[in-house]
Amino acid sequence: MKNKIILAFLCLLLNSINLSAQSLSNSKKGIYKTGFREININDYLRPLQIALVYPTSAKHPIARIGDNEYIIGENVIYDAKISDKSFPLVIFSHGLNGSWDNHIWLAAALSKRGFIVAMPNHPGTTLQDMDPQLARDMLARPEDIRRTISYLLETKQFSDHIDANNISIIGHSYGGWTAVEAIGGKSSAKVFKKECRKYPIMLACDIFNEQMKGLDERSDFLKLDKDMKDPRIKRAVILDIGFGRMFIPSSLSEIKIPVLVYSAGPFVERIPAELETGYLTKYLPEKTSKHIVLNNATHYSFMAICRKNAIELFKKDRPDQVPTCEFDTNERANIHTQLIKQISSFLVNN
C-alpha cells in the first residue's frame, strides 16, 4: 500500500514538472495571437488615443498595423475577443515625435506571450499631434499613464482580463523619462538647466529650452518636482532614456521597484548614453536595477524595423528622419529578438 502511495505521488510530481516545463516553453515562444483595438478616453482632461494589444485565440479578421513606406508593421486580429484569462498589464510610453506605431513590434511579441499592452499617444509630443503649447506640460505625460491604467481597471470589459497586481511600464527616450516619473522619479528645471550648462551637447537641452521659451521662472510648467508616482506599477523597463539628467538624484535613489535599463551604442552624438542613461544608473539602487548596454544599437534601434529603401525615401521626403534608420540596418531584427527575450524574462521574473 505504501509503495502504491509513493508511486502515485511520483506520477503526480512528474506530471506537474511536465506541465511547468510546457508552460515555460510556451511563454518563451508565445501561444497566443495578437489582438488589437483602439481606445479613446474623453474625460475632463486632454483626450487620449490608446492602442491596446492583447492575447487572443481568434484568427480573423487579420489586419496590418504600424506599416508604411518607411517601417515594417505587424499582423494583428482586429477588434478580437481577449482570451479568457487574467493577464499582466504593460503600459508603453513613446518618445518625442513618436507614436505607438514605432513599438508595435514589441507589443505584439509580448501579447503572444500573455501580456496586455496599452500604448497611449501623448498629445503634443506624438507624431500625429506635435503641439508646442501642449508639449510644455511635461507632467501631463506621466498623468497620461495614470489615466490609462485607471481607465483599463475601471472598465469591466478590460478589467476582467487584467491582473491589477501585475502592472509594468516600458518607455523609450522621452517615454523613458515618462516611465521614471511614473515610478517615483522627480524632475527639476533648475537641476536640468545646470546640467545643460555643463553638457550643452545634449539634444534634450535644446528641446527643453525651445519648449519653455518665454516662460516666467514662476510658471507652473517649470514646477516639475511634483510626485507623479503611481504605486500600481510594480516594475519598469527604460529604453535609452532622454531628459535623464532632469531628475533629482535623491528621488532616483528612493525608487524601490525593479528597473531594467538599456542604453545604446555611440551612434547618435547628441543623445549620449553615458550622459543620459549613465546619470540614471548612477543613482538608481544597485540592488533593484540592472543596466544592459547594447553597443550595436542606436537610439532608434528600439523602434520598428526600417524598410530597405527607407533611408533613400527619408532623404527625399523627410531628411530630419534619416537617423532613425541609420547604422543598424542589418542589426535591428537581431536586436529586437534579444530585447524580446530579455524584457519578457524580466517582466515574468521580477
Side-chain angles (χ1 to χ4, degrees):
M1 181 67 179
K2 184 178 180 181
N3 289 338
K4 288 183 178 180
I5 292 173
I6 293 173
L7 182 60
F9 173 76
L10 289 173
C11 288
L12 286 171
L13 181 62
L14 183 60
N15 186 52
S16 175
I17 291 171
N18 287 337
L19 287 173
S20 297
Q22 183 180 4
S23 176
L24 180 61
S25 175
N26 286 339
S27 69
K28 287 181 178 179
K29 65 185 179 183
I31 60 172
Y32 298 99
K33 299 291 185 183
T34 297
F36 175 86
R37 68 181 64 175
E38 291 184 89
I39 301 169
N40 292 290
I41 300 178
N42 295 294
D43 53 19
Y44 62 96
L45 296 172
R46 62 188 194 171
L48 273 185
Q49 180 196 49
I50 301 165
L52 193 70
V53 185
Y54 51 88
T56 185
S57 299
K59 297 180 180 179
H60 301 285
I62 297 174
R64 190 78 174 167
I65 60 171
D67 207 61
N68 58 42
E69 63 268 41
Y70 308 107
I71 61 174
I72 298 172
E74 293 284 337
N75 285 333
V76 300
I77 313 301
Y78 199 84
D79 207 25
K81 181 178 181 292
I82 303 174
S83 289
D84 291 327
K85 191 179 175 182
S86 181
F87 298 102
L89 174 65
V90 177
I91 310 297
F92 195 103
S93 178
H94 66 74
L96 182 68
N97 198 26
S99 71
W100 60 256
D101 304 61
N102 299 136
H103 307 283
I104 191 64
W105 65 271
L106 179 56
L110 291 176
S111 72
K112 292 182 176 74
R113 290 159 175 77
F115 294 89
I116 293 177
V117 185
M119 302 187 290
N121 275 343
H122 298 287
T125 55
T126 188
L127 181 62
Q128 295 87 353
D129 180 20
M130 289 294 289
D131 186 320
Q133 294 302 313
L134 289 176
R136 283 181 165 179
D137 190 359
M138 296 182 72
L139 295 183
R141 275 180 147 255
E143 181 65 14
D144 291 343
I145 303 303
R146 184 198 65 78
R147 292 170 63 206
T148 299
I149 295 172
S150 294
Y151 178 84
L152 292 172
L153 295 184
E154 292 167 7
T155 305
K156 185 172 174 55
Q157 71 177 115
F158 305 122
S159 62
D160 284 350
H161 301 282
I162 293 172
D163 180 353
N165 295 311
N166 195 346
I167 300 175
S168 307
I169 188 166
I170 303 175
H172 173 238
S173 192
Y174 192 11
W177 174 89
T178 305
V180 174
E181 281 280 335
I183 62 173
K186 293 180 182 177
S187 295
S188 165
K190 184 178 180 180
V191 166
F192 195 55
K193 288 178 180 179
K194 180 181 176 182
E195 292 298 321
C196 286
R197 285 193 293 270
K198 289 166 59 178
Y199 305 107
I201 191 175
M202 294 189 299
L203 179 61
C205 297
D206 289 350
I207 293 170
F208 181 79
N209 290 334
E210 184 63 28
Q211 279 182 184
M212 305 303 183
K213 185 190 298 183
L215 289 180
D216 187 277
E217 290 291 328
R218 296 165 294 180
S219 170
D220 285 344
F221 291 129
L222 294 173
K223 296 175 182 177
L224 297 171
D225 60 344
K226 297 177 183 176
D227 185 3
M228 302 303 293
K229 179 180 178 180
D230 191 325
R232 296 172 295 185
I233 300 173
K234 305 304 182 186
R235 64 198 67 77
V237 180
I238 312 300
L239 307 175
D240 211 37
I241 195 170
F243 295 94
R245 301 188 85 87
M246 188 176 285
F247 288 107
I248 300 168
S250 60
S251 72
L252 297 176
S253 301
E254 292 169 3
I255 293 173
K256 304 302 182 186
I257 66 171
V259 183
L260 175 60
V261 181
Y262 284 92
S263 58
F267 295 99
V268 183
E269 183 181 13
R270 301 213 60 202
I271 311 176
E274 68 274 15
L275 296 182
E276 293 278 19
T277 303
Y279 182 90
L280 184 68
T281 56
K282 178 180 179 179
Y283 295 109
L284 283 174
E286 188 175 340
K287 287 185 178 180
T288 53
S289 62
K290 181 179 180 180
H291 180 203
I292 297 176
V293 180
L294 299 179
N295 287 314
N296 60 337
T298 82
H299 183 69
Y300 304 101
S301 296
F302 304 94
M303 295 165 58
I305 293 175
C306 298
R307 296 190 180 278
K308 290 182 179 180
N309 62 339
I311 292 178
E312 293 306 314
L313 288 175
F314 277 138
K315 285 179 179 178
K316 179 182 176 182
D317 304 326
R318 300 167 62 188
D320 61 312
Q321 293 298 308
V322 169
T324 62
C325 292
E326 282 186 319
F327 304 119
D328 72 338
T329 305
N330 299 319
E331 291 288 330
R332 195 169 295 192
N334 291 332
I335 292 168
H336 284 188
T337 299
Q338 178 182 348
L339 287 167
I340 290 166
K341 181 180 179 181
Q342 292 173 341
I343 291 173
S344 298
S345 176
F346 173 79
L347 296 178
V348 168
N349 296 311
N350 290 277

